[in-house]
Amino acid sequence: MKTIEKILYHIKCDGPVTAKVLADKFQLTTMGIRQHLQTMEEQGLVDAYDVKVKVGRPTRHWQLTSQGHQHFSDHHDELAVQTLDAVNDLFGHQGLQAIINKREQQTLEHYQTAITDCLDLKTKLVALTELRQRDGYMAELICDDNGFLLIENHCPICLAATRCPSLCQSELAVFQQLLGENAVIHRQEHIITGQRRCAYRITSK
């Protein structure tokens, strides 16, 4: 993977970052990283903002632009949206909802097969995170004092979900059925509302 791709991936997953952090991460000079960032800025992939600190000059942080986020978009996004529009035109809202329900059921069955041997919430979430990672969601799981945080740094169906929000509700329903009635799931961040990622806080009743 080229350095620019590594930088894009890191910012996509971890959010805004300084050149110094990137230099330490990839064992390059800060000057070298700045040159890469300048090239990426010229390409419209990143932009920067300054954060004031107590002592010294402000710290410059780099973040992905809309174009930078689109760099990770699935190449089939437009086809998916066109298909949803066609279904809606031909069969109406009921036909579209039937398609979404069928996708939900297929996803649930696929995931259930993969977590058959998982007996508690943590092992289910570990398995679910691996499944979502394979499906292109750049997923990661954080365990903390408040339970679990399932993070999805990318949404391969973002364009389709923006057009048809029921897809997001469907995925939330899959999570709930998969984890069981004793799991409480709350979506804290949501890509289609303009946030950087989707994040789900999950606790036990």
Side-chain angles (χ1 to χ4, degrees):
M1 187 184 295
K2 295 180 179 179
T3 301
I4 285 180
E5 293 292 332
K6 291 179 181 178
I7 293 172
L8 285 170
Y9 191 91
H10 181 86
I11 299 176
K12 177 70 173 172
C13 291
D14 287 17
V17 67
T18 64
K20 177 67 167 60
V21 170
L22 290 172
D24 292 342
K25 169 77 175 178
F26 300 119
Q27 298 182 338
L28 297 171
T29 64
T30 303
M31 180 61 70
I33 288 292
R34 287 199 181 105
Q35 289 175 347
H36 283 302
L37 289 168
Q38 183 176 352
T39 299
M40 294 161 67
E41 185 177 30
E42 292 170 354
Q43 294 172 345
L45 298 172
V46 299
D47 59 22
Y49 63 93
D50 292 332
V51 177
K52 292 182 179 179
V53 294
K54 292 182 179 179
V55 180
R57 66 177 61 182
T59 303
R60 176 150 294 190
H61 286 68
W62 294 86
Q63 62 185 356
L64 295 186
T65 61
S66 296
Q67 185 175 332
H69 283 290
Q70 289 172 7
H71 181 80
F72 295 90
S73 295
D74 191 286
H75 298 300
H76 303 295
D77 269 356
E78 288 293 344
L79 176 60
V81 170
Q82 291 170 4
T83 301
L84 290 175
D85 286 344
V87 170
N88 190 56
D89 290 343
L90 290 170
F91 305 107
H93 177 73
Q94 284 188 324
L96 181 60
Q97 192 58 49
I99 294 291
I100 294 171
N101 291 342
K102 182 62 176 180
R103 176 183 180 273
E104 178 181 321
Q105 186 60 38
Q106 290 175 332
T107 302
L108 178 62
E109 291 173 358
H110 170 57
Y111 285 3
Q112 282 178 327
T113 300
I115 69 164
T116 300
D117 298 327
C118 300
L119 302 179
D120 57 38
L121 181 59
K122 182 176 182 179
T123 53
K124 286 182 179 180
L125 282 169
V126 169
L128 176 60
T129 303
E130 292 177 355
L131 288 166
R132 299 296 279 181
Q133 178 72 16
R134 291 178 200 166
D135 287 345
Y137 288 84
M138 295 186 186
E140 57 183 304
L141 181 67
I142 295 175
C143 305
D144 57 28
D145 294 338
N146 297 316
F148 303 93
L149 190 65
L150 174 61
I151 296 170
E152 295 181 344
N153 292 293
H154 178 61
C155 178
I157 63 165
C158 184
L159 191 60
T162 301
R163 182 67 62 88
C164 184
S166 295
L167 285 167
C168 291
Q169 293 302 318
S170 176
E171 295 208 324
L172 199 56
V174 168
F175 291 170
Q176 188 65 69
Q177 294 177 75
L178 197 68
L179 299 178
E181 60 183 14
N182 290 325
V184 178
I185 308 172
H186 174 64
R187 185 190 280 121
Q188 294 184 335
E189 298 176 57
H190 200 185
I191 290 175
I192 69 170
T193 63
Q195 293 174 297
R196 183 179 65 83
R197 64 189 186 180
C198 288
Y200 303 86
R201 171 60 64 183
I202 302 163
T203 57
S204 297
K205 287 185 179 178

